[in-house]
Every structure is written in C-alpha cells, then in structure tokens.
Amino acid sequence: MFDLQGKKAIITGGAQGLGFSMVEAFHQAGVEVAVIDISDEVLNLSNKLEANDVKVHGIKGNLLDIGNLRQSFNEALEKLGGTVDILINSAGLIERKPALEFSLESWDRILGLNVTSVFELSKLAAIEMKKQESGKIINMGSILSVLGGFNAAAYSTSKGAVLQLTKSLSNEWAEFGIQVNAIAPGYMLTTMNDDLMNDPVRGPQVEARIPAKRWGTPQDVAGVALFLAAPASDYVTGTLIPVDGGVLGR
C-alpha cells in the first residue's frame, strides 16, 4: 500500500525548506525525482542527498515566467523518461505586510507563483497522467487556506485559491485515475517563517496557539506527502489535510 519504488515525481521549490524535505523523503522511498527551483542550490541536490541508485535531477526554472515554466516541465519530463506519476507543487512566496502598504506588483507575484503556476503545472502533468490513467497531484496549501491570517492578505488569498483549485481539479480528473489533494502546513520551522519566529510579540503568541506546543518540522509534512503519493490514498481526493499540531481544530 505504501510502496513507491520506481515511481517518478516532479517537485517544485525543492531546493530548501518543506520542498527539500519532500525531495529527501521521496528519494529515500525509491522515487526518481526531478526538482524545479529558481535557486542555484537545485543544481547541487544530488550531492546533498545520501547516495543510492535512485536519480535526482535538478532543473533551474522561473515559474513566474509561463514560457520558462513549460520549458522546465518538459525538461523534467524528459529527464524522467517521459513519465510522471507524482507532481508536488511546493514552490511558494509570502510577504508579510499590512494590506494598506502592499503593492499590486507584490500581489501579482504571489498570486502568480502560488496559484497560476500551480494551475499550469497541474494541467501539464494531468495531460501525461491521463494517458496512463493514474497520477497524484499534491498542492501545498496552508492553514491560511482556511484562516484569514494577519498581515498576509495576498498569501492567504492565494492559499484559499489553492484549496478551491484542488477541489475543482479533483472533480474533473478523478475519473481519469488522478487524485488531487492539498496539504495545509501550520507554523513550520522554515526560513519562510524566520521573521515570525523572531518577532518578540507574534512568536510567543503563535506558539501559545498551537495545541501540540511546538512548531512543525519539514519532516512532519513529508510523511503526509508520502501517504498522498502512495497507493494507500487512491480513494482520497479533493481534500485538504492539515499538518498543524492541531491549530485548525481549536
């Protein structure tokens, strides 16, 4: 039920943070992975991971440029031998600032990466998955897919859109054997949250709000991603799975 040996995955934003944790977990599970990231670090991923017989391909790509996005996807697909079983849309942006001070340029960038690129990559992957009548698409939502957040209007809007996109694509593609789900990380120990963790006011407020009494780790998310990619979740689609230490249950 949980065997992923020999599967092929494309993971965006996999050079650091939650994305890298998932790359590492899938690599260890025997999945050949193509990673698309704008950072130069993506080219060093195979050296960062423990050596085994499973390949990891690094592709530097800008997902805000639709032409480059399509080129990067096609390169990833070619490196995987023309097959993709799993797509994880992990790349994302956040900018914490009051809405009255938020520029339209920043709004467009966040919606472009967090929503538009997810839609386009999902379409490209689904075209290939439909041919084989199977596939797993895992989108990175957030607890702000449900909550309003604070000083994060663009980010919370984008993650709310990811949840609705996940449901819509699941409705359309379930009959083709493609499951589309989303993960909702809570407050995680990643560089994206450094400013929040180091805020002398907000940091303690956040930790006090988490029933588990700790921030989440990238490994907490990777385990759920493995489940959603495995045969064990073949009848799970169109849902949002929180990985938040109980925040959404309060």
Side-chain angles (χ1 to χ4, degrees), residues 9 38 57 92 144 153 188 207 238 240:
I38 198 169
H57 312 280
L144 296 191
M188 311 302 292
E207 188 157 342
L240 178 79

Side-chain angles (χ1 to χ4, degrees), residues 159-171:
K159 292 305 181 178
V162 166
L163 173 56
Q164 295 305 318
L165 177 61
T166 297
K167 293 177 180 180
S168 295
L169 298 184
S170 171
N171 289 341

Side-chain angles (χ1 to χ4, degrees), residues 4-59:
L4 288 169
Q5 286 281 343
K7 296 294 186 181
K8 300 186 179 187
I10 296 175
I11 301 177
T12 69
Q16 62 279 310
L18 300 183
F20 176 73
S21 179
M22 288 184 283
V23 171
E24 188 174 37
F26 278 74
H27 176 67
Q28 292 172 353
V31 178
E32 184 178 359
V33 183
V35 184
I36 303 173
D37 200 295
I38 198 169
S39 169
D40 288 333
E41 284 299 309
V42 73
L43 304 176
N44 301 319
L45 279 179
S46 58
N47 296 327
K48 292 173 69 174
L49 298 170
E50 293 183 9
N52 63 28
D53 294 332
V54 183
K55 294 179 180 178
V56 176
H57 312 280
I59 298 151

Side-chain angles (χ1 to χ4, degrees), residues 16-17 96 188-195 197:
Q16 62 279 310
R96 291 188 179 88
M188 311 302 292
L189 292 170
T190 63
T191 55
M192 182 179 281
N193 286 325
D194 278 350
D195 56 343
M197 285 185 281

Side-chain angles (χ1 to χ4, degrees), residues 38-106:
I38 198 169
S39 169
D40 288 333
E41 284 299 309
V42 73
L43 304 176
N44 301 319
L45 279 179
S46 58
N47 296 327
K48 292 173 69 174
L49 298 170
E50 293 183 9
N52 63 28
D53 294 332
V54 183
K55 294 179 180 178
V56 176
H57 312 280
I59 298 151
K60 185 174 179 180
N62 179 7
L63 301 181
L64 282 169
D65 181 325
I66 294 300
N68 191 244
L69 177 153
R70 291 170 180 158
Q71 180 182 345
S72 298
F73 178 88
N74 289 334
E75 183 179 345
L77 190 64
E78 182 180 358
K79 289 182 181 295
L80 294 175
T83 302
V84 58
D85 303 296
I86 303 155
L87 170 67
I88 302 181
N89 288 304
S90 181
L93 278 174
I94 188 171
E95 184 177 339
R96 291 188 179 88
K97 189 178 290 186
L100 290 175
E101 301 172 14
F102 210 87
S103 72
L104 191 57
E105 180 183 26
S106 292

Side-chain angles (χ1 to χ4, degrees), residues 87 89 117-127 129 137 139 165 169 173 180:
L87 170 67
N89 288 304
S117 77
V118 172
F119 175 61
E120 185 63 16
L121 285 165
S122 296
K123 278 202 309 179
L124 293 171
I127 290 169
M129 293 172 175
I137 297 176
N139 297 325
L165 177 61
L169 298 184
W173 298 344
V180 188

